Amino acid sequence: MPSTAFGAVRPYLAKEHTMPLDPTIRESLLAAIPEAAERGRKALEDWDTVSDSLCDAHHEPLDERYDARQRQRDAEAWAAFEPFLDHGPELLAHAEEDFRALHQDYANPDFETIGRRRSQLTALHQAIAGGREEHAAWQYADEMIFPDPQGAELRRRMEIRRNADGWHHAIAFADNADVLVEIDQATRARTGAGRGRTAQAEAARARSTNAASPTASPITPGPSTSASSGPERAAHQPR
């Protein structure tokens, strides 16, 4: 892999075959990033606002409201993140190509920008890989339990677990996804393509609004997990 003045982006998904992404799909995903990232960050900000009020002086949850509100937080963040999982590897591969092309000036490297973009792309690789792994595990389990008479309740619990385990991946995506838009804009400026929206781009933006809309069902308080132990409880520790 060609290097840059600051080294190559670590190919976390190098073993995963990626095909060139359809330009219309890529445009739609890029257009959806700002809103999706804001929704993910808002889920965290809203949680930070209320989480202390749901704990006692020792930072222990007061009652089942803590777990119910945390499940809502996880679902909101996951709903903003999930639309980018299918084409995430291709989107990142395209951004890496642009990243290398943008930073081939070895005589006058912008180390600060190179380092920040490289760090953000690395974080996105980890977030997308982690999110895809969590979602694949959920899909496999969902296929296994679908015929079960108790499938609906099991599915609801599995979604809660997936959202909780995927929380950190969703927030990492929200915190770093803006670099994909930044690299795209810088590439367009460098090649003279500009960033003016054509009719096709505007249509892609309109489609992305629907693709990135919240898909999670409202979270209703279920059995409290405050007495649980192991990995499931670890995902619900107070911040």
Side-chain angles (χ1 to χ4, degrees), residues 207-230:
R207 286 192 298 274
S208 73
T209 301
N210 294 327
S213 61
T215 57
S217 58
I219 301 298
T220 56
S224 174
T225 60
S226 59
S228 61
S229 59

Side-chain angles (χ1 to χ4, degrees), residues 12-224:
Y12 281 97
L13 304 182
K15 296 182 180 179
E16 182 168 7
H17 180 65
T18 57
M19 297 292 292
L21 190 58
D22 180 275
T24 302
I25 295 176
R26 179 172 175 271
E27 182 70 29
S28 178
L29 290 171
L30 288 171
I33 283 175
E35 180 184 353
E38 176 60 25
R39 286 167 54 204
R41 291 190 294 266
K42 187 175 186 300
L44 175 58
E45 292 169 0
D46 289 350
W47 169 250
D48 286 342
T49 300
V50 302
S51 58
D52 285 345
S53 67
L54 301 175
C55 295
D56 61 21
H58 302 288
H59 303 289
E60 290 295 324
L62 291 169
D63 51 40
E64 68 276 3
R65 290 176 301 168
Y66 182 92
D67 288 331
R69 183 60 182 81
Q70 193 169 50
R71 289 195 293 270
Q72 178 184 337
R73 177 203 73 174
D74 296 342
E76 290 172 352
W78 183 265
F81 177 44
E82 185 178 5
F84 299 90
L85 295 179
D86 281 349
H87 297 291
E90 296 94 334
L91 192 64
L92 285 168
H94 198 293
E96 284 186 344
E97 290 181 6
D98 287 346
F99 172 85
R100 289 190 289 271
L102 286 168
H103 298 296
Q104 291 179 347
D105 185 1
Y106 298 105
N108 299 291
D110 182 352
F111 288 107
E112 182 177 352
T113 299
I114 292 171
R116 176 179 55 76
R117 287 175 176 172
R118 178 174 181 257
S119 178
Q120 287 186 279
L121 287 172
T122 298
L124 287 174
H125 269 299
Q126 294 172 320
I128 291 293
R132 285 166 65 87
E133 182 177 349
E134 294 294 344
H135 195 56
W138 173 81
Q139 287 180 316
Y140 176 77
D142 189 44
E143 291 172 0
M144 294 298 99
I145 63 134
F146 183 74
D148 193 291
Q150 302 300 319
E153 175 60 18
L154 289 172
R155 191 175 196 274
R156 186 187 74 85
R157 289 179 177 274
M158 287 194 312
E159 285 183 342
I160 289 172
R161 181 60 181 270
R162 178 203 61 189
N163 297 345
D165 290 345
W167 160 255
H168 294 293
H169 302 310
I171 291 304
F173 179 84
D175 284 342
N176 293 281
D178 64 299
V179 76
L180 299 175
V181 178
E182 178 186 328
I183 289 174
D184 178 63
Q185 291 176 339
T187 298
R188 289 173 182 268
R190 175 176 174 271
T191 60
R195 192 55 179 170
R197 289 286 176 180
T198 63
Q200 181 182 18
E202 290 295 345
R205 177 182 289 275
R207 286 192 298 274
S208 73
T209 301
N210 294 327
S213 61
T215 57
S217 58
I219 301 298
T220 56
S224 174

